[in-house]
Amino acid sequence: MTDPTSQLLLIAATFFLAGVVKGVTGMGLPTVAMAILGAVLSPLTAAGLLIVPSFLTNLWQLAAGPALPALSRRLWPLLAASFCGTLLTAPVLASAGKTGPATVALGLALCAYALYTLLAGPLRVPPRLERRLQAPVGLATGLVTGATGIFVIPAVPWLQALGLRRDELVQALGLFFTLSTLALASGLAFQGGFHPGNLLLSLLATLPALAGMGAGQFLRQRVSPAVFRRCFLFSLLLLGMEMLTRPF
């Protein structure tokens, strides 16, 4: 896509849609942005654009609750390992074009997340295993994040399996996504893949993302979140499969 106007319209529409998904489901902004923009731009360009909208919207989600100190103490092994894992694999994303390992990894991550969420039943992590497994789960998620720009596998199912109250889960997801965004930005910056020129465009993308969140919160009162979520996941699955069909 070489027409600057068309590109700007695509970016604005993508972040509005991503904001709608986050407004309805409470998550999904980076996933939607990477899924759509990664289909037409390089994963590196898409990841650079999502940094500011993802950080600001998740910071808002992080601040909306009283449990931050307790969650930080409970989840710090997950957060620290994820940060380190993201830095380790950021070179894959920083060197990515529209085809290649990062695009394949992004397609696999989208398919895995969609299929798991559609097919898997509810899980529960036994308290005796929680602290022992946090670092491996965090490291695995960080490795996926650095290579694809997606923060969800396997940390989101893990957090959902801890038995947190709804408000605690929303705040825990906000904490994890905020730290993951900072880790991704740091990894791309260290690799020379996060350019100052993209920062302004990423900042501007926050406006349609916030507008989409407002629309999504309005829509949440008028549609079934479960039906909306299934449609969203099927869309992610199709986008991921399309990426896997590209020539390597």
Side-chain angles (χ1 to χ4, degrees):
M1 181 181 298
T2 57
D3 179 9
T5 301
S6 298
Q7 191 174 55
L8 288 173
L9 289 174
L10 172 67
I11 292 169
T14 296
F15 279 98
F16 180 82
L17 177 60
V20 169
V21 172
K22 187 173 180 66
V24 174
T25 67
M27 55 182 290
L29 189 147
T31 309
V32 173
M34 288 299 299
I36 297 176
L37 294 179
V40 293
L41 306 173
S42 72
L44 172 61
T45 302
L49 290 172
L50 71 83
I51 294 297
V52 177
S54 178
F55 177 76
L56 292 180
T57 55
N58 285 310
L59 192 63
W60 181 2
Q61 182 175 334
L62 165 64
L68 180 58
L71 287 171
S72 299
R73 289 191 297 270
R74 181 175 179 178
L75 299 176
W76 74 263
L78 176 81
L79 301 172
S82 178
F83 199 102
C84 294
T86 301
L87 297 182
L88 285 174
T89 53
V92 176
L93 190 57
S95 61
K98 288 182 67 174
T99 59
T103 300
V104 172
L106 177 56
L108 286 171
L110 290 172
C111 291
Y113 174 61
L115 288 172
Y116 174 85
T117 309
L118 285 166
L119 301 177
L123 299 177
R124 282 291 178 265
V125 175
R128 60 186 176 81
L129 295 179
E130 179 181 334
R131 181 54 66 98
R132 187 182 305 174
L133 295 178
Q134 275 200 59
V137 170
L139 180 62
T141 307
L143 294 174
V144 174
T145 298
T148 68
I150 291 181
F151 312 151
V152 292
I153 293 292
V156 168
W158 167 268
L159 290 170
Q160 291 170 334
L162 294 182
L164 298 170
R165 297 192 305 271
R166 177 174 174 79
D167 290 345
E168 288 180 329
L169 177 60
V170 169
Q171 193 168 29
L173 289 170
L175 174 61
F176 179 75
F177 293 153
T178 300
L179 266 293
S180 295
T181 303
L182 290 174
L184 183 61
S186 300
L188 295 181
F190 290 155
Q191 299 298 322
F194 188 52
H195 302 293
N198 290 339
L199 189 60
L200 177 60
L201 193 55
S202 181
L203 182 62
L204 291 175
T206 305
L207 298 177
L210 292 175
M213 282 186 66
Q217 289 168 354
F218 176 82
L219 188 62
R220 184 168 55 195
Q221 309 304 320
R222 290 158 178 80
V223 301
S224 165
V227 173
F228 183 93
R229 187 175 179 83
R230 282 195 293 272
C231 294
F232 158 61
L233 291 167
F234 276 118
S235 299
L236 290 186
L237 180 60
L238 291 175
L239 285 168
M241 292 173 64
E242 187 277 331
M243 291 178 186
L244 293 177
T245 62
R246 297 181 190 179
F248 191 80

